[in-house]
Amino acid sequence: MPRTACLFALLAAVALAYWPGAGGGFVFDDYPNIVDNVALHVTHPVWNEWIAAVMSSPASSLQRPLAMLTFAVNHYFTGLDPRPMKLTNIAIHLINTLLVFALIRVVVLTALREREANPDRVADWVAWFAAACWALHPINLMGVLFVVQRMESLSHTFVFAGLWLYASGRRRQMAGASGWLMILAGLIPCTMLGLLSKESAVLLSLYAFCLEACVFRFRGSDGRRDSRLYVLFVFLLALPALLGLAWVLPKSIGAGAFASRDFSLAERLLTEPRVVLTYLRWIVLPDLGQLSLYHDDYRVSHGLLDPLSTLPALLSIPGLLGIAWLCRQRRPLISLGLLWFLSAQLLTATIIPLELVFEHRNYFASLGICLAVADFLFLAARPGVPRRAGILLATFFLLFCAGVTHLRALEWSSQVRFSISEAKKHPLSPRATYDYARTMVILTGYRVDSPFMAMTLAALEQARRVPNSGVLPDQAALMFAARTGQPLQPEWWQDMYQKLSQHPIGPQEFASIGALTKCAQDRHCAFPREDMLQMYAAALAQGPNAEILNMYADYAVNAMADQDLALRLWQEAVALRPDEPQYCVSLSKLLILMGRFDEARAQISRLRALGKIGQQEASATMLEQRLRFAIAAKMPPAAKPKTE
């Protein structure tokens, strides 16, 4: 079959596998990054709205502006409809599939050299299998159907393109032609463009170094070592790595670095080797019963033998590196695949205080294992019966991956199916059980005569009883009871107070307090004032927190009508986080309402200064207009400007 026809068939198969999942909704991190991110919701072709949207990511200090721009474009044309956003993600994955095919084909052609009688044909089939294995692998589904993880897939569009340019340039050099322009274009602009979507792209130069070490061997057309390549990697890999480590290390080992986590740095370093081996197992033997969004029930390692698998996992990582080293001469593609897999874990499986397990972190890592499998099944096997057996196994593996991916896409095809599936896979996961309870709440529509009423109450109670459940189920139970006229159980409040005062304050705590605050100030929930005040006090017991103060101030001004208390709280929040524009906006609105116009002007000036490229201009203009109206309303009639 011609190469083009094979690629079209592959793209069609990938699109069909993922198609059911396009009908699903938003989940988990989609809400803070997209749904609740008001700055992202561009509705007018006004430049400062677009700049505000591009710089609105709450996930990273680098803002990931290119990824945020694509979300803003989606919203501008289709609003908060998840389907077009997921279709965009599928399109990006299809583009990446083509780039992976092109990259692997160049790599295989170089690795084969004179080993095969028909290297082009063999390279086509190996590249097609590796690309198909990667594109259809179920572990990569989260990089496609989890909307916010467009950051990951779009970032890797530039990683794959950069590696293809690098490999093509090096292949030209080894053939005696000039390739430096392609090499530099692959490493520098592609890394920079990838970083505009997510920090994962910073590893591009490391992947290129692995490619050089295993396949090209730093040699030129004459077979000799090319010292210019060593210099290149000193400047583009070694020095940036040292600078990056100097920047990350203090943030990871400093006091409070892991304050919002339920594990320490030492426990993270003990646990992550087990996580990496779990990823490897999921790639080699995909298990529909284990692949999921929520893995917050993963057991933390507290010692070398707690659990017992910790020490063997620690020893296995250098073991994999040793296998890669031993294979580099006879099986360079297996060596490269293992190094790519391990290199891809450096950011997310080492000292940075991230969560322990997420499947989308393998969007590149899985390609390394797919390449190693392709080498084993197609190239390591001798021609004849062994190679035909390899091709048969490869076909079975592809069909199996495609089937599991399609079944996972069906799980993601609706919010109800997704929530039921996740809770069934992880009955001890706080997030999975809470998400199921939340879905049941939505199904009731807060109607006391809903047929889902009893199931919802049971799901909420189950979510509350899960170990390490956090405050989300308590918040959901309180809101559901308040909105359906059920009694508010004192134990729900007591659980919240205890968890808020004793556990780290993180995204779940912010979300819970924010939801209760909004429900109360919108008059949907008649919560006792003393309980709400005790909730804020419990959250602030661990020390001042700008976001808690911000929500407390919202409640004070909107539910208690206590402007003086709200003023003190917002002033403290601004002092703690002077770089947060929303606190400035809220404080300015209150100052205008209280008639303190000079102070409001100062806050508006501060807000405008925060937007160094104009992203806060729309908010500042809105506040200035509100200020003018307030001043005009306070003027005596004789002092007001006359109108025709």
Side-chain angles (χ1 to χ4, degrees), residues 37-103:
N37 185 1
V38 179
L40 186 70
H41 303 167
V42 176
T43 55
H44 302 94
V46 181
W47 69 272
N48 49 29
E49 280 193 29
W50 286 92
I51 292 178
V54 163
M55 305 300 291
S56 67
S57 172
S60 168
S61 58
L62 297 182
Q63 297 298 301
R64 303 172 181 176
L66 184 56
M68 299 309 290
L69 174 62
T70 65
F71 292 134
V73 170
N74 275 138
H75 183 275
Y76 181 76
F77 288 105
T78 57
L80 281 176
D81 184 350
R83 187 177 186 85
M85 294 192 181
K86 294 195 176 199
L87 290 175
T88 303
N89 285 15
I90 292 174
I92 291 170
H93 190 58
L94 294 176
I95 292 170
N96 288 349
T97 300
L98 294 176
L99 290 171
V100 165
F101 172 83
L103 165 64

Side-chain angles (χ1 to χ4, degrees), residues 253-524:
I253 65 174
F258 284 77
S260 62
R261 302 297 180 196
D262 55 1
F263 49 85
S264 66
L265 173 59
E267 289 171 332
R268 189 175 206 283
L269 292 174
L270 286 172
T271 306
E272 282 299 333
R274 291 173 42 233
V275 173
V276 170
L277 291 185
T278 300
Y279 291 153
L280 182 59
R281 174 165 54 85
W282 287 341
I283 296 171
V284 176
L285 296 171
D287 185 346
L288 183 63
Q290 295 188 31
L291 295 170
S292 66
L293 170 58
Y294 301 118
H295 294 287
D296 52 326
D297 55 349
Y298 197 90
R299 185 176 175 183
V300 176
S301 291
H302 300 292
L304 289 175
L305 298 176
D306 181 15
L308 290 174
S309 56
T310 303
L311 182 58
L314 281 169
L315 297 175
S316 296
I317 302 302
L320 289 173
L321 287 170
I323 292 172
W325 173 259
L326 293 174
C327 289
R328 73 191 191 285
Q329 297 291 341
R330 297 187 61 185
R331 303 255 58 91
L333 297 182
I334 290 179
S335 177
L336 175 62
L338 289 174
L339 290 179
W340 271 357
F341 170 77
L342 293 171
S343 297
Q345 313 296 339
L346 282 177
L347 286 182
T348 58
T350 50
I351 62 173
I352 301 176
L354 302 170
E355 295 197 37
L356 293 175
V357 187
F358 272 124
E359 292 168 21
H360 64 258
R361 295 172 181 172
N362 291 276
Y363 196 74
F364 185 90
S366 58
L367 176 60
I369 302 305
C370 290
L371 177 61
V373 171
D375 181 89
F376 180 76
L377 295 179
F378 284 86
L379 301 178
R382 289 174 296 176
V385 174
R387 183 163 293 182
R388 285 196 291 272
I391 293 171
L392 184 63
L393 285 173
T395 303
F396 172 79
F397 188 67
L398 276 184
L399 292 174
F400 179 70
C401 284
V404 175
T405 297
H406 188 70
L407 291 174
R408 287 200 75 189
L410 287 171
E411 291 178 347
W412 285 64
S413 63
S414 76
Q415 183 62 49
V416 175
R417 182 177 289 185
F418 171 80
S419 299
I420 293 173
S421 169
E422 293 289 316
K424 186 179 293 186
K425 292 179 181 180
H426 295 277
L428 295 180
S429 161
R431 285 178 180 159
T433 52
Y434 165 73
D435 187 66
Y436 172 65
R438 177 178 171 275
T439 299
M440 296 306 299
V441 168
I442 294 171
L443 286 176
T444 66
Y446 295 105
R447 299 192 336 267
V448 293
D449 60 344
S450 169
F452 301 107
M453 194 73 179
M455 293 174 62
T456 301
L457 292 171
L460 286 168
E461 190 59 26
Q462 170 64 21
R464 290 186 61 250
R465 298 302 178 193
V466 168
N468 303 315
S469 60
V471 296
L472 285 171
D474 296 312
Q475 162 253 308
L478 287 165
M479 284 182 57
F480 184 69
R483 296 193 65 172
T484 56
Q486 307 294 312
L488 301 177
Q489 301 298 328
E491 65 177 296
W492 299 344
W493 288 111
Q494 292 302 321
D495 280 352
M496 280 205 71
Y497 305 152
Q498 181 181 7
K499 292 168 183 175
L500 288 173
S501 61
Q502 296 180 3
H503 294 272
I505 302 296
Q508 293 185 36
E509 288 70 28
F510 293 142
S512 296
I513 296 173
L516 292 175
T517 300
K518 189 174 190 312
C519 197
Q521 70 186 36
D522 290 347
R523 305 296 191 268
H524 294 311

